Amino acid sequence: MDTRTPAAAQGRALWALLLATLGTTAGQPLRGDSVCTARPLAKYRITFTGKWSQTAFPKQYPLFRPPAQWSSLLGAAHSSDYSMWRENQYASNGLRDFAERGEAWALMKEIEAAGEELQSVHEVFSAPAVPSGVGHTSAEFEVHARHSLVSFVVRIVPSPDWFVGVDSLDLCDGNRWREQVTVDLFPHDAGTDSGFTFSSPNFATIPQDTVTEITSSSPSHPANSFYYPRLKALPPIARVTLVRLRQSPRAFVPPAIDLAGRGNEIGDGLSAPETPLDCEVSLWSSWGLCEGLCRKMGARIRTRYVRVQPANHGAPCPALEEEAQCVPDNCV
């Protein structure tokens, strides 16, 4: 005879239903992503191209100590239940260390932990640093049908906590792998440092802010290195191209990718956009002493200096000296 109470039997039934539901949803993509049914594995070459030239970004362009350059690229092939970074969300401690100082150890540990605990990371990959603002670097990695997303970050050097990257780019299109994907990249602020310029000293953001895209008008502070009020949008500061490899890397010759015809040369591309930079001057100084002959009108002068030289046909500098009539001082 069954002596179990109705309440206990109902509880066991609910538990069995919960287990069945979990069993049917395990391994499915989150956030409504479609299921990838492409062949289990695909190999890609990722090529990162820096487009940070003095022509395209003339304001406060770093020329020394250190000059404009890019950190190494750190990325992962993963499923939708892992996120390396996301706009409008808080950066992890690992991303903070990478964006502020280029230290990758903590971010690597976070990626490895996600792979071990959630089985959400298929592969971690990296590419060498680019020692100038314009140039490129590349790496190869593998994706899986259950791990078809790719994310990566590259630090802007020098900068307070600025970086570029891709968040969860899906290389799978239903039952096939994408042959080639190209994405223009724009600067992002990790929200952990409050500096406005490339060379700003370390000044922690308290409380921490979320990751945001830097635009030509935001942050709106005139001192911001990316503040170009005449532009509706910044030109891309970098670009990434992902090409599917069909054969063994030893035998494979990748299709030509437009790298401005430079090969591995580092330098300003002739096709770089010209961003106009208007002249910026300081406030006027105080008026100087009035000089002149007694019983006649004298003159006094005030001055200002150039804070930012114009570039790329930007507005020229106004007069740096102004004169006004006055009554001579100490006239007897």
Side-chain angles (χ1 to χ4, degrees):
M1 183 177 72
D2 189 354
T3 59
R4 292 173 291 185
T5 65
Q10 184 179 15
R12 281 189 292 275
L14 289 174
W15 180 246
L17 178 62
L18 177 60
L19 289 177
T21 303
L22 290 174
T24 59
T25 59
Q28 297 298 314
L30 302 181
R31 304 194 312 273
D33 296 337
S34 59
V35 177
C36 178
T37 58
R39 291 170 54 186
L41 296 175
K43 199 171 186 68
Y44 281 84
R45 171 169 291 138
I46 180 171
T47 301
F48 172 86
T49 304
K51 303 172 72 68
W52 184 19
S53 68
Q54 190 172 8
T55 302
F57 299 91
K59 187 174 184 180
Q60 303 167 4
Y61 188 81
L63 295 173
F64 55 90
R65 294 187 299 180
Q69 57 190 274
W70 301 95
S71 77
S72 58
L73 178 151
L74 181 61
H78 59 89
S79 60
S80 58
D81 52 356
Y82 170 73
S83 174
M84 179 180 291
W85 67 278
R86 185 145 298 152
E87 197 168 319
N88 299 321
Q89 294 188 11
Y90 293 105
S92 65
N93 291 334
L95 180 59
R96 178 199 62 205
D97 290 351
F98 186 86
E100 290 188 10
R101 299 184 294 276
E103 297 177 0
W105 185 85
L107 185 56
M108 284 285 297
K109 296 299 290 184
E110 290 176 356
I111 299 173
E112 291 174 1
E116 294 173 358
E117 298 171 9
L118 303 175
Q119 301 297 308
S120 58
V121 175
H122 177 71
E123 183 176 347
V124 182
F125 58 90
S126 64
V130 179
S132 185
V134 177
H136 62 272
T137 186
S138 63
E140 295 181 3
F141 66 93
E142 189 179 71
V143 288
H144 187 274
R146 291 183 56 250
H147 304 85
S148 62
L149 308 180
V150 61
S151 297
F152 73 85
V153 288
V154 182
R155 180 176 181 247
I156 298 173
V157 183
S159 75
D161 60 342
W162 301 340
F163 69 96
V164 297
V166 159
D167 166 36
S168 302
L169 174 65
D170 198 346
L171 295 176
C172 184
D173 185 11
N175 63 353
R176 65 182 182 88
W177 294 107
R178 301 178 189 272
E179 295 300 322
Q180 181 168 322
V181 182
T182 299
V183 181
D184 286 333
L185 304 177
F186 299 89
H188 280 75
D189 187 325
T192 60
D193 192 294
S194 297
F196 275 119
T197 66
F198 296 119
S199 58
S200 293
N202 185 36
F203 185 62
T205 301
I206 301 176
Q208 180 177 336
D209 204 351
T210 57
V211 175
T212 56
E213 181 179 337
I214 301 172
T215 70
S216 60
S217 59
S218 178
S220 59
H221 197 291
N224 177 21
S225 293
F226 286 112
Y227 183 67
Y228 293 95
R230 289 180 57 179
L231 298 183
K232 291 183 179 179
L234 290 175
I237 196 171
R239 177 175 294 164
V240 65
T241 301
L242 299 102
V243 178
R244 185 184 174 197
L245 308 183
R246 290 188 172 275
Q247 302 178 33
S248 166
R250 293 181 180 179
F252 178 78
V253 178
I257 299 174
D258 180 16
L259 295 173
R262 292 189 302 272
N264 288 319
E265 179 185 351
I266 307 300
D268 286 352
L270 297 177
S271 61
E274 290 191 353
T275 299
L277 181 63
D278 297 338
C279 178
E280 294 182 15
V281 296
S282 67
L283 298 176
W284 286 109
S285 68
S286 300
W287 287 104
L289 294 176
C290 185
E291 298 180 351
L293 300 176
C294 291
R295 293 181 297 279
K296 292 185 178 181
M297 293 300 294
R300 58 181 181 174
I301 295 174
R302 64 177 182 176
T303 61
R304 56 188 174 184
Y305 61 90
V306 176
R307 298 181 61 181
V308 176
Q309 291 286 352
N312 304 328
H313 309 291
C317 294
L320 302 179
E321 186 176 290
E322 188 174 64
E323 183 177 299
Q325 289 186 329
C326 58
V327 177
D329 295 318
N330 302 321
C331 186
V332 293

